[in-house]
Amino acid sequence: MKRRFVMIILAAPLFWGLLGSCMGVSSEITLGRDGSGTIKAEYRFARELESLGRQDGNQGRPPIPVGRTDIERTVARVPGMALKSFKSAVEGKDVVYRVTLNFADTDALIRFLDASGLRASVSRENSRNRLSLLLTGGGGRIEPELGELVSAASQGYFLALSFSLPSEAELALKDGEGRRLNPPQGWTLSGGRRPSFSAPVGEIFLFDGPLYLEIDWGL
């Protein structure tokens, strides 16, 4: 079975989180020493979800906002961000969108990842850069029945992020208090100049408490 990658819509209500378990994204961020770079992303969602996009006069638009129009609107609101290419295809049971974006600096990257400024940030200290991403806010206790539904809907799906950086990098998972966490079984976390992270999306969604991914690299 073809491996699929999943993005959770972090700030959305539970309904959209469940829809997100049927939608995936593989993403690679390339970052230069001057802060400019590119984002290559591949969004996938089950063709069954297209019926949601046909309601209320939204024919032709995906049920979760990752279509060309949505991407163009987002890019237009971010100074220093530009859409380089957008392609769509139907592959088996999935609808696929492939997007390439250019950004002029890390400020543009952060604004694109999180316009609110609450779930993504970049800092510089002691000749080191640090990118912090909130993977999940840990919305509290979930009833067992709902947990089983999330687990079933997200089976075989992963959140996957990779980076291409100008120097060696270290990746770490941290809780809401800044304490380092060991990756659970089945999660992958690797450093180097091409660090990467992946984890089952259902386990991230059901994680008890805030969960951060931090990428630390030299100037």
Side-chain angles (χ1 to χ4, degrees):
M1 181 174 66
K2 187 174 182 179
R3 189 180 183 189
R4 290 185 283 186
F5 302 88
V6 172
M7 176 181 67
I8 297 176
I9 299 182
L10 299 175
L14 179 60
F15 173 72
W16 292 109
L18 291 174
L19 279 183
S21 69
C22 299
M23 175 196 163
V25 61
S26 60
S27 177
E28 179 179 356
I29 298 175
T30 300
L31 189 64
R33 291 191 181 277
D34 63 353
S36 65
T38 61
I39 302 172
K40 292 184 178 180
E42 179 184 281
Y43 299 91
R44 289 179 177 268
F45 61 91
R47 293 178 66 183
E48 290 85 349
L49 293 182
E50 284 189 295
S51 60
L52 292 177
R54 298 192 185 103
Q55 298 176 8
D56 301 324
N58 290 326
Q59 290 85 351
R61 298 188 61 186
I64 299 175
V66 294
R68 185 182 186 107
T69 299
D70 301 297
I71 293 292
E72 288 176 339
R73 289 174 177 170
T74 300
V75 168
R77 292 193 293 266
V78 180
M81 182 69 66
L83 176 61
K84 184 177 181 180
S85 66
F86 183 98
K87 298 179 181 179
S88 62
V90 175
E91 297 182 0
K93 297 181 179 180
D94 292 327
V95 177
V96 183
Y97 294 96
R98 294 185 174 92
V99 181
T100 301
L101 301 150
N102 293 334
F103 55 91
D105 49 42
T106 53
D107 286 342
L109 171 63
I110 294 303
R111 285 194 294 268
F112 178 79
L113 293 176
D114 174 30
S116 72
L118 300 176
R119 297 177 299 277
S121 64
V122 65
S123 60
R124 181 175 296 180
E125 184 178 357
N126 298 326
S127 299
R128 303 289 294 179
N129 292 300
R130 178 173 296 167
L131 174 63
S132 178
L133 302 172
L134 177 62
L135 301 181
T136 178
R141 185 177 180 274
I142 295 178
E143 294 299 325
E145 294 80 5
L146 182 56
E148 293 176 2
L149 176 62
V150 171
S151 297
S154 62
Q155 187 174 3
Y157 290 81
F158 292 81
L159 169 65
L161 302 170
S162 63
F163 304 84
S164 180
L165 300 171
S167 62
E168 296 291 311
E170 180 183 358
L171 265 67
L173 289 173
K174 294 187 177 181
D175 63 14
E177 302 298 323
R179 294 172 296 208
R180 188 182 292 261
L181 302 172
N182 292 323
Q185 185 175 1
W187 296 32
T188 62
L189 193 69
S190 64
R193 296 190 68 167
R194 297 183 64 86
S196 63
F197 165 79
S198 70
V201 68
E203 294 182 19
I204 295 176
F205 186 81
L206 297 173
F207 192 82
D208 184 16
L211 178 66
Y212 291 85
L213 176 67
E214 289 191 355
I215 306 96
D216 186 284
W217 73 98
L219 298 178

